[in-house]
């Protein structure tokens, strides 16, 4: 398949119908007013989990009114069709039907997927950035949960996003490279990925990571799309690139196993249960399916 032909298609965690309404975060009167509006809807988030209502292969978020929502730190997620949406960080009921993004992300509609990703990302940031990195004082939350301010030095701190490249590498015979990390069970494989280092371009990060992990030089990196992956704060930037050779030299600290697959070899390995590819919710899955040329029929339940 000519990678110049197309796009990755639906990236399930990149969907959203919400206007983030950044200008309204600065208006405390508006924030207070909509919080007391019974039409406002609230998503309760706890360690990346939220309440869901399942129906066959679909799911919906369970959204509460502000009066029904538990006490907790609240974050403005945005506005859609005149309705304001917040998330609240609070404990979920012990008997609740809850799910995380990996489990529910592919089952939700566009609005709910966007709300859930946003809420998970904000919760993770607040949980790990309570204190000022300059003086150690505990910071206060402002602007609808999108800024933390140090009471001592007045410094402002914003939600952090860590860019990571994720790349499908093809060899001169148009085979795809899949690899397994040392911590993964046998049969679980994915495309390569790695974080962008300070002062580094995306293309340079791609070439460095591939060479470090499997000893392959690459050329012609082509950006295809991106998807948030808030575990805890990554933004996955998807690429295709061309390997200049098929010889592999693995870094055992990073890669336990790597091999090249033709399309037929991949199809057979998945069908026999010998290979577990990433799930539909992951950008890795979309990269593989774009190269493969169609959807892959499997029961994958992991990914990045």
């Amino acid at each position: 398949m000519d990678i110049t032909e197309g796009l990755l298609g639906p990236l399930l965690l990149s969907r959203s119908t919400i206007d983030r309404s950044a200008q309204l975060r600065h208006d405390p009167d508006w924030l207070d007013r909509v919080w007391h509006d019974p039409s406002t809807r609230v998503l309760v988030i706890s360690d990346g989990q939220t309440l869901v209502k399942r129906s066959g292969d679909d799911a919906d978020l369970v959204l509460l009114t502000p009066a029904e929502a538990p006490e907790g730190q609240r974050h403005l997620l945005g506005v859609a069709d005149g309705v304001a949406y917040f998330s609240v960080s609070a404990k979920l009921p012990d008997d609740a039907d809850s799910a995380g993004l990996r489990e529910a992300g592919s089952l939700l509609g566009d609005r709910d997927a966007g709300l859930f990703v946003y809420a998970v990302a904000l919760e993770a940031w607040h949980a790990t950035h309570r204190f000022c990195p300059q003086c150690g004082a505990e910071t206060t939350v402002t602007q609808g949960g999108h800024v933390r301010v140090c009471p001592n030095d007045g410094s402002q701190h914003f939600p952090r996003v860590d860019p990571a490249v994720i790349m499908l590498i093809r060899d001169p015979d148009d085979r795809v490279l899949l690899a397994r990390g040392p911590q993964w069970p046998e049969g679980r494989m994915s495309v390569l990925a790695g974080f962008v280092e300070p002062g580094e371009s995306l293309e340079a990060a791609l070439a460095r990571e591939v060479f470090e992990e499997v000893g392959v030089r690459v050329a012609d990196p082509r950006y295809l799309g991106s998807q948030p992956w808030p575990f805890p704060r990554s933004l996955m930037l998807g690429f295709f690139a061309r390997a200049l050779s098929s010889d592999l030299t693995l870094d055992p600290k990073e890669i336990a196993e790597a091999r090249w697959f033709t399309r037929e070899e991949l199809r057979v390995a998945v069908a026999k249960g010998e290979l577990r590819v990433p799930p539909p919710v992951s950008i890795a899955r979309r990269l593989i399916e774009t190269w493969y040329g169609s959807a892959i029929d499997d029961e994958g339940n992991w990914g990045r």
Side-chain angles (χ1 to χ4, degrees):
M1 177 180 180
D2 182 353
I3 64 173
T4 64
E5 289 178 0
L7 306 171
L8 289 179
L11 291 166
L12 297 180
L13 299 189
S14 294
R15 300 172 294 153
S16 182
T17 63
I18 300 297
D19 178 351
R20 295 198 170 201
S21 305
Q23 72 282 4
L24 296 174
R25 301 171 192 166
H26 304 267
D27 187 341
D29 292 335
W30 181 87
L31 289 169
D32 183 69
R33 184 170 66 254
V34 295
W35 181 254
H36 291 93
D37 185 336
S39 70
T40 292
R41 291 296 176 262
V42 182
L43 180 159
V44 182
I45 189 84
S46 178
D47 293 327
Q49 300 276 312
T50 196
L51 303 173
V52 295
K53 181 179 180 181
R54 306 169 198 259
S55 177
D57 292 333
D58 298 319
D60 295 300
L61 297 179
V62 176
L63 300 173
L64 310 179
T65 67
E68 295 169 329
E71 290 292 326
Q73 184 174 291
R74 58 183 185 251
H75 313 135
L76 175 67
L77 302 179
V79 177
D81 298 322
V83 176
Y85 292 87
F86 287 81
S87 64
V88 167
S89 297
K91 188 176 184 300
L92 300 176
D94 292 334
D95 59 349
D97 186 1
S98 63
L101 265 178
R102 286 182 174 91
E103 179 184 359
S106 63
L107 308 179
L108 298 169
D110 292 352
R111 183 203 66 178
D112 285 4
L115 289 172
F116 198 4
V117 173
Y118 198 0
V120 169
L122 284 175
E123 182 199 32
W125 175 64
H126 283 288
T128 56
H129 289 75
R130 289 177 53 203
F131 300 96
C132 176
Q134 297 181 173
C135 70
E138 185 165 5
T139 54
T140 58
V141 179
T142 65
Q143 295 189 25
H146 291 76
V147 180
R148 299 190 72 107
V149 178
C150 176
N152 284 348
D153 58 32
S155 58
Q156 294 183 329
H157 308 279
F158 301 88
R160 173 179 165 182
V161 176
D162 295 341
V165 288
I166 182 165
M167 44 276 184
L168 183 140
I169 307 301
R170 304 182 305 164
D171 77 352
D173 296 320
D174 199 26
R175 297 180 299 175
V176 66
L177 179 63
L178 299 181
R180 177 174 66 87
Q183 72 278 21
W184 295 355
E186 290 190 11
R188 170 178 165 174
M189 302 184 82
S190 184
V191 295
L192 300 178
F195 288 107
V196 180
E197 294 187 347
E200 187 176 42
S201 71
L202 301 179
E203 295 82 0
L206 182 157
R208 173 183 55 77
E209 285 285 346
V210 174
F211 185 74
E212 288 177 354
E213 294 188 348
V214 296
V216 171
R217 297 292 186 186
V218 298
D220 303 327
R222 182 173 180 82
Y223 172 75
L224 293 181
S226 66
Q227 174 167 275
W229 194 248
F231 307 110
R233 51 184 167 266
S234 298
L235 175 65
M236 308 303 297
L237 300 136
F239 286 82
F240 273 14
R242 178 173 57 88
L244 299 181
S245 74
S246 300
D247 297 329
L248 302 176
T249 303
L250 309 188
D251 176 358
K253 294 181 181 179
E254 296 286 341
I255 303 296
E257 174 188 8
R259 60 169 287 197
W260 299 98
F261 288 87
T262 66
R263 290 172 178 80
E264 178 62 14
E265 288 170 342
L266 185 139
R267 184 193 67 78
V268 171
V270 170
K272 289 183 175 180
E274 298 170 352
L275 174 65
R276 295 173 59 202
V277 293
V281 76
S282 69
I283 190 173
R285 173 64 164 259
R286 296 300 306 134
L287 287 165
I288 294 169
E289 289 183 335
T290 299
W291 164 83
Y292 186 71
S294 68
I296 296 172
D297 183 16
D298 80 312
E299 299 295 330
N301 58 7
W302 58 277
R304 62 185 174 189

